[in-house]
Amino acid sequence: MTRTPSPTGPRPRGRARRALLCAALLAVAVQTTAAAPAFAEGSARRDGRDCVRTERPLDGQARRVLDITRRAKAEFRLKSVELKVTRGGREVVTDALGESMTGVPARPDMHFRAGSVVFSYIGTALLQLVEEGKVGLDDTVERWLPGLPKANRITLRMLASNTTGLHDYVTDPAFLAELGAHPFRHWTPQDLLAYPYSHSFWYRPGTNWSYSHANYLLLTQALEKITGTRIDRFLKERVTGPLGLDNTRNNFTPDIPRPVLHAFTSERGLYEESTFWNPSWTTAPGAVITTHICDLARSAQAIGSGELLSHRAHRTLLDPGTVGLGGPTAKCPATVCVKQTGDRHFGLGVLVVNGWVVQNPSFSGYAAIQAYLPSDRLAIAVSSTKTAGSPDGNQAEVIAQRIAAALAPRTPLAAG
């Protein structure tokens, strides 16, 4: 969902997995710019057929973005790259390069796994409930999560901002070994939580910062109990529906809506197709989403501008009190308890990097990023898949950084 620590785990068992939704430490800088207007192009049709390549001839800016993308695709030996860039809600360029599978060209309307992007929706929906007075951000969670250790000291804010001190199951060697051996296994929340629950807390809740997928798994369970609504329906009502993200959907099985952008990975030591590996480990049931590149760009703009929130709530989304937290202790190493600065910190389900509002999932052969710079009203969405010769890491993120350097040179989309 990065630079601190990077979510690319070791080969063969977990390199890409560890990355999951987590660019966790791309961590971020507060951006309090007022919300930008909604996209001019409107919401996507459910069949996705309005997500198409930009008509030719292209203008100079679009050609420049595509040239950057083509060069990066060749440099990193990527199988496919999909991208959409908008400024002020207007399309700069939409395109897809390379192949989904051998002989099957990639198309912008192809669906892929979006991982941690859903965390930005959960953080947004939580703040809506807070604004409506239905819950307090600093309410402790024992009434909704009585089985959680230290539940009477952990708040909704701590779960959403990754300040509970819970270990991350995605970096647990025992979990990685099981996941690597059985990529089609279906995981329940109980299966996943057993890993962090087997460890003591890194620190007293609320006093430090460390990324853990367990936090959002638990936050999802709490929201379902608070609202009495299944999380997929809750997010559709609160976020994806109002934003017209008709091609962003939860899946309770490993299926992906057609047309599918296929994924391949070498993380288990052999280059193999990973499209339908079971993603149930990535987060709570009902929040395992797929999307396409046009929805991802729309998502970047809407979440980054705070379209669904008041100005005050949007400031909280970008900095819920994490700035200044983090740092190693005798018990927690610097690779886990990472310093959160004004320029790089985690918000409520988003990363803030030099003012960019970001999520950057990377797992099981899929990599993507949504990034929005409120000051320029610039949205960048990129997804990529790999060949056997592709380097480790989220190359979609690297491509987005290069596009950002060309279009907003004074505000780098980089964590360091």
Side-chain angles (χ1 to χ4, degrees), residues 56-299:
R56 269 54 176 178
L58 299 175
D59 65 19
Q61 191 173 64
R63 290 197 303 272
R64 187 178 184 190
V65 170
L66 270 185
D67 185 53
I68 290 168
T69 305
R70 289 193 186 101
R71 290 200 307 267
K73 179 182 178 298
E75 177 185 346
F76 301 128
R77 301 179 296 283
L78 297 172
K79 192 168 189 68
S80 73
V81 180
E82 301 189 333
L83 73 150
K84 186 178 180 76
V85 177
T86 68
R87 195 189 288 270
R90 297 183 180 278
E91 178 184 74
V92 174
V93 65
T94 303
D95 214 322
L97 311 178
E99 295 181 315
S100 171
M101 298 184 292
T102 301
V104 179
R107 304 196 326 246
D109 64 345
M110 286 179 165
H111 299 91
F112 52 86
R113 302 202 188 280
S116 57
V117 169
V118 78
F119 294 171
S120 67
Y121 304 161
I122 292 171
T124 294
L126 170 62
L127 287 172
Q128 290 176 351
L129 295 179
V130 172
E131 288 191 284
E132 295 163 8
K134 295 178 179 177
V135 72
L137 203 53
D138 294 313
D139 289 349
T140 55
V141 299
E142 68 270 20
R143 75 188 86 170
W144 307 300
L145 303 172
L148 171 61
K150 302 187 180 182
N152 63 341
R153 286 179 262 171
I154 291 174
T155 65
L156 294 170
R157 185 193 301 269
M158 293 175 194
L159 287 174
S161 63
N162 283 291
T163 58
T164 63
L166 280 166
H167 279 235
D168 187 1
Y169 60 82
V170 171
T171 58
D172 190 304
F175 169 79
L176 290 173
E178 177 64 17
L179 183 63
H182 304 287
F184 296 99
R185 172 179 169 173
H186 176 78
W187 293 82
T188 68
Q190 293 71 29
D191 294 334
L192 298 170
L193 290 171
Y195 292 96
Y197 287 178
S198 70
H199 299 279
S200 60
F201 282 63
W202 285 116
Y203 47 83
R204 183 165 50 87
T207 62
N208 208 323
W209 186 93
S210 56
Y211 192 85
S212 175
H213 290 81
N215 289 323
Y216 269 78
L217 195 160
L218 289 161
L219 179 58
T220 296
Q221 293 181 338
L223 286 172
E224 289 184 327
K225 291 185 178 179
I226 291 166
T227 63
T229 305
R230 212 170 64 186
I231 194 66
D232 57 318
R233 295 170 180 166
F234 176 63
L235 293 180
K236 182 176 182 180
E237 173 190 332
R238 292 282 183 157
V239 181
T240 60
L243 295 180
L245 302 179
D246 293 331
N247 283 274
T248 302
R249 312 171 202 170
N250 165 72
N251 300 280
F252 284 104
T253 74
D255 192 27
I256 298 176
R258 277 55 176 168
V260 179
L261 180 68
H262 286 247
F264 303 82
T265 183
S266 301
E267 64 187 66
R268 299 202 309 163
L270 173 71
Y271 185 66
E272 59 189 328
E273 179 163 5
S274 51
T275 308
F276 299 108
W277 284 3
N278 197 316
S280 56
W281 59 276
T282 59
T283 191
V288 180
I289 62 170
T290 55
T291 192
H292 66 24
I293 201 66
C294 295
D295 267 19
L296 193 65
R298 171 72 174 120
S299 170

Side-chain angles (χ1 to χ4, degrees), residues 4 14 43 51 121 158 253 270 274 298 332 335 352 369 387 391:
T4 77
S43 62
C51 188
Y121 304 161
M158 293 175 194
T253 74
L270 173 71
S274 51
R298 171 72 174 120
C332 189
T335 54
V352 182
I369 184 171
T387 67

